Amino acid sequence: MRLILTHNNADFDAIASLLAMTKLDPQATAVLPSRVNRNVRNFLTLYASLLPAIHEEDLTRHPKIERAYVVDTQTIANMRGIRPKTPVHVIDHHAPNPDRPVHYEFEGETLGANTTLLVEKIRRHNVQINSLEATLLMLGIHEDTGSLTYSRTTVRDIQAVAWLLEQGAQLDLVRDFLRHPLQDDQLELYDQLRDSAETIEIMGHWILIATAQAAEQIAEISSLAPKLSDLFDPDAMFLLVQMGQNVQLVARSTTPEIDVSEIADQLGGGGHDRAAAALIRDGDIASIQAQIENLLPQIVKPGVRVAELMSAGRVQTLSSKTLIKDAALLMQRSGHEGYPVLDGKALVGLLTRRAVDRAMNHQMGQQPVAVIMEAGQIYVQPNDGLETLRQKMMDSGWGQMPVLNEDGKIIGIVTRTDLIRRWTEPPPYANQPTLIYQKLAQVLPNDVWQLILTIAQEAQAAHMGLYLVGGFVRDLLLDVPNLDIDFVVEGDVPRLVESLCEKYGGVVHFHAQFGTAKWVLDATRLNLANGPDFIDFATARAEFYEEPTALPTVRQSSIKQDLHRRDFTINTMAIRLAPEPMGELLDYYNGQRDLHDGLIRVLHSLSFVDDPTRMVRAIRFEQRFGFKIEPRTEHLLYDALPFLDRVSGERVRHELNLIMAEQQPIRGLRRMDELGLLRQIHPQLRLDEWAEGAIRALLYAKEFQPFNISPAFDDWRVAMFAILVVRFAEEELRQLGQRLMISKTNVDHLSAVCKGYQAVLQFTPETPRSSVVYALESLGEVSWLVNWAAAPFAFLRQKIVHFVMEWRHIHPTINGNDLLTLGLKRGPIIGQLLREVRRAWLDGEIQSAEEEAAFLASLLTEVE
């Protein structure tokens, strides 16, 4: 038989190593040592079946041991069956013992825990383990590395723990069994510290200071810290123990806003931000406590409060009498996962989507929500800290926590998602309003910046929330100039804008349905030389779609909900101007992260279904900024392509125009073609190599003017679109016109361009000038540009240039009145004669007035 052995007084690392070896060699038998630590014994009592092990006394009288594995040690006590020449395979995480017997085979490296070595072998051999086995293995690593905090801990220990967590290791069990029972002297010290503990609040943090006296040196004072932390749950603690002439300090912190090492450094000790210690020789405990209390206000940073996370403003609530079916409809429209429930004005519970869905499945739609809500008056207040919020969420199970002011009025809501986002790494401008404020002042023209400050002061005086939003914020962070300024207001938009207009002039236009206002500025009165002509204001609002592709229904809401209705995360950021802190960047949906990573990402999976024109906008932003549509978003785009058919032609045409107005329109059109959007609009609409080349030629013409274009010409987008359709058949063009709601007049113009292109293709180098003129003259500048750009041969482009620059300006010296004077009667003959004379001029048959007169005379002879 093969045995697996370890040392006496076994800790979790030793026992976990036994388990690991049984997984690696299932035919080997683990032998439990006669003595194990108390916490290990308690674990094995509860989970005896986990480790298939025997005790030494269970071995037969004369066992035949063919091989012994020795783990977490390099020596073994005398054991029956182990002979001097029995092969022994040592697996240990300490340096090899040079005095070990020669027949001992050593395997190991210096790591934080022996279990790590064996977990790595388990991974390499693809050995399967269950959740409880992963937990015991994690206990072994945690105990021997001080939960990964000892200096001997290595990256490999951490990687092993991470893998065990993926296998289902239970951290609650790890935490429970790593708590050692106290010795008598530690217990006495613990009682003193507990009884003397005082908590003080500094900048929203609760800090515990406890003192005790000890007659002699006591080991492991630091082991008392976790127990006191569990009892008082402070953000930081400072334990002071007077031992003779010296004072021992043990300091712990649970938050990055309190760096306890700064205190320990001042007292001659050291450590890191979460754990530190100092031994103050010849110290007096009272004076040291006073010194700590004086230092704390200098090193404690303000904590995060609920007010910084909550969605403020008009909170959507339900009456306890609301019918469940009405609540279901409201949740479907708004996308909210829960609503506070009120009885009158008093909070009485929370209604969750899960409860509503279950109730609707049981046909309970006609009953009031009070029947299924989670009853209770559970809430937080604006100045509560994150720990209070987290604890209340855990205790209640509520994922949406109402925020009440001192008067008991609901002023906001904070969700589990808000809490989770808070723990992610803050982006560059998080919690740094001064940086944004300075950036605004530096980037904007001074008169525009003063205008924004003026509007902000007005909103602050009116106690309204005011935010810069949208593309302006995005472009500010990208260092792209943009004076298209949009404000969102939490409050009464008409009152704010009318007040501004009364004080600073201008004209206001309101759109009551959407709660928006346009303030047309009086530049003179505002001393505005470089600013915009107008500024848009919108009420903070939420949207829901009655059906896919329909225009949204809106209702007043908070800034957070207003940002959630936007198309992509990079457009969901806002800059707070009122109330304070002015310049705070609101980024609820990780817009900064996606800006940094160069990603276009929708906010939810139905975004393109709600508004399919967002598909075109996604491409426009992707190509403008050199970003990439995030993979999941691209997948959603493909799935939503059929919904583009439900969007009005006018809206689709508008988005196409915006793509063609970009500085690099070919990129956007090419991407639309790649993703299938052009074909979704019409099966024949595409950007192939020919069309791309023609558009490049058109853009060249716009830049370098190969022939004189009218200074007033601004139909470049029309010309670009005409290139896309110039090869269409008449029926295909009519169908596309209907799809995009193009007017009959404009369809006729496009049809003329198509016919003109077909005529140009018939030209040869020998085609006379007159044929070129008569084919192109009536078509107009758009057609000339399209035909020049689309012409497949250089001689065709030369003919078109000559036509535009010279030939179309050639006319006879005579006119219709001259022919009437010669005695001709009015009628078609007049036009025919003039056309023939012009043809002769164009084709070089006439070079002078005399030759013209002779040519005309010959024509008149033929007429007579």
Side-chain angles (χ1 to χ4, degrees), residues 183-223:
Q183 302 298 320
D184 290 343
D185 55 351
Q186 291 177 316
L187 186 59
E188 180 182 348
L189 189 62
Y190 171 78
D191 290 339
Q192 287 189 56
L193 291 169
R194 180 196 60 203
D195 295 341
S196 68
E198 300 176 359
T199 55
I200 55 176
E201 184 181 8
I202 300 177
M203 298 185 187
H205 297 287
W206 289 99
I207 300 169
L208 180 141
I209 300 178
T211 62
Q213 302 280 341
E216 57 185 20
Q217 190 79 17
I218 295 179
E220 296 189 42
I221 296 175
S222 60
S223 64

Side-chain angles (χ1 to χ4, degrees), residues 5 8 31 56 59 75-84 104:
L5 310 172
N8 260 319
V31 179
E56 183 180 353
L59 288 170
T75 60
I76 52 174
N78 292 330
M79 178 172 290
R80 71 179 73 163
I82 302 290
R83 295 177 172 83
Y104 277 30

Side-chain angles (χ1 to χ4, degrees), residues 570-594:
I570 62 170
N571 294 329
T572 60
M573 292 171 287
I575 296 173
R576 184 196 301 274
L577 298 178
E580 296 288 352
M582 187 174 181
E584 179 187 11
L585 183 69
L586 305 183
D587 183 13
Y588 298 110
Y589 307 108
N590 294 317
Q592 277 193 94
R593 179 196 63 192
D594 286 342

Side-chain angles (χ1 to χ4, degrees), residues 148 159 196 283 347 359 388 474 493 495 551 620 682 714 743 862:
L148 308 177
Q159 291 171 338
S196 68
L347 175 69
T388 300
R474 175 198 68 219
V493 166
R495 181 161 68 91
L551 290 175
R620 177 154 53 90
H682 190 279
D714 63 353
S743 68
E862 294 176 6

Side-chain angles (χ1 to χ4, degrees), residues 6-7 9-17 37 39-40 71-73 91-94 109-117 136-154 157-158 161 174 177-178 180:
T6 190
H7 56 83
N9 301 311
D11 56 8
F12 272 117
D13 193 24
I15 299 303
S17 296
N37 290 349
N39 56 342
V40 176
V71 293
D72 198 32
T73 183
I91 303 174
D92 189 37
H93 65 118
H94 300 101
E109 298 176 63
T110 304
L111 297 176
N114 196 68
T115 307
T116 299
L117 288 168
L136 177 53
L137 295 173
M138 184 180 281
L139 275 164
I141 299 175
H142 266 280
E143 187 172 60
D144 241 35
T145 62
S147 292
L148 308 177
T149 63
Y150 293 165
S151 59
R152 64 172 180 261
T153 305
T154 69
D157 296 302
I158 297 171
V161 166
V174 172
F177 282 97
L178 287 182
H180 299 281

Side-chain angles (χ1 to χ4, degrees), residues 598-783:
L599 293 176
I600 305 298
R601 187 194 309 269
V602 292
L603 275 75
H604 57 87
S605 59
L606 293 179
S607 182
F608 292 134
V609 174
D610 287 343
D611 183 1
T613 62
R614 288 173 176 167
M615 292 187 276
V616 187
R617 290 205 294 281
I619 291 171
R620 177 154 53 90
F621 290 133
E622 177 191 50
Q623 299 306 311
R624 178 192 297 178
F625 299 123
F627 285 9
K628 186 70 177 174
I629 297 176
E630 176 262 337
R632 171 62 175 161
T633 298
E634 186 171 313
H635 179 77
L636 294 171
L637 186 152
Y638 276 119
D639 289 346
L641 279 175
F643 287 92
L644 195 63
D645 297 343
R646 304 188 188 182
V647 180
S648 71
E650 184 178 12
R651 293 180 65 204
V652 175
R653 192 175 73 248
H654 174 70
E655 293 296 337
L656 264 176
N657 282 335
L658 291 177
I659 284 278
M660 292 186 291
E662 289 287 307
Q663 289 188 345
Q664 300 287 341
I666 291 177
R667 294 179 183 175
L669 291 171
R670 185 191 302 130
R671 191 77 164 118
M672 287 185 69
D673 189 57
E674 291 173 357
L675 295 177
L677 270 78
L678 292 182
R679 291 187 299 278
Q680 194 67 39
I681 296 171
H682 190 279
Q684 297 303 316
L685 195 61
R686 62 190 186 278
L687 186 78
D688 55 14
E689 186 176 347
W690 177 91
E692 184 170 327
I695 292 176
R696 289 190 187 281
L698 180 70
L699 296 174
Y700 173 88
K702 182 179 181 180
E703 182 72 20
F704 297 104
Q705 296 286 321
F707 46 80
N708 291 334
I709 304 296
S710 167
F713 183 82
D714 63 353
D715 288 338
W716 295 100
R717 283 174 293 174
V718 176
M720 198 177 303
F721 182 74
I723 288 175
L724 293 175
V725 304
V726 74
R727 295 172 292 176
F728 273 36
E730 189 73 23
E731 179 60 21
E732 292 170 344
L733 189 61
R734 185 190 64 78
Q735 292 171 353
L736 180 64
Q738 289 179 342
R739 172 66 188 95
L740 296 181
M741 299 175 66
I742 302 173
S743 68
K744 183 178 183 305
T745 300
N746 288 332
V747 171
D748 290 342
H749 287 164
L750 289 172
S751 178
V753 173
C754 295
K755 291 176 181 176
Y757 177 66
Q758 294 302 317
V760 167
L761 292 180
Q762 303 306 312
F763 294 166
T764 68
E766 293 75 27
T767 299
R769 297 177 181 180
S770 58
S771 297
V772 175
V773 172
Y774 292 145
L776 299 180
E777 192 168 40
S778 63
L779 298 181
E781 287 183 306
V782 169
S783 182

Side-chain angles (χ1 to χ4, degrees), residues 774 810-820 822 824 827-842 846 852 855-856 859-860 863:
Y774 292 145
I810 296 175
H811 294 279
T813 63
I814 62 172
N815 57 38
N817 290 329
D818 295 330
L819 295 179
L820 292 174
L822 293 175
L824 290 174
I829 190 62
I830 298 294
Q832 294 169 3
L833 288 171
L834 290 175
R835 180 182 176 87
E836 183 62 17
V837 172
R838 188 187 184 199
R839 183 203 62 74
W841 273 100
L842 287 167
I846 297 174
E852 181 186 69
F855 185 81
L856 179 61
L859 289 178
L860 291 174
V863 171

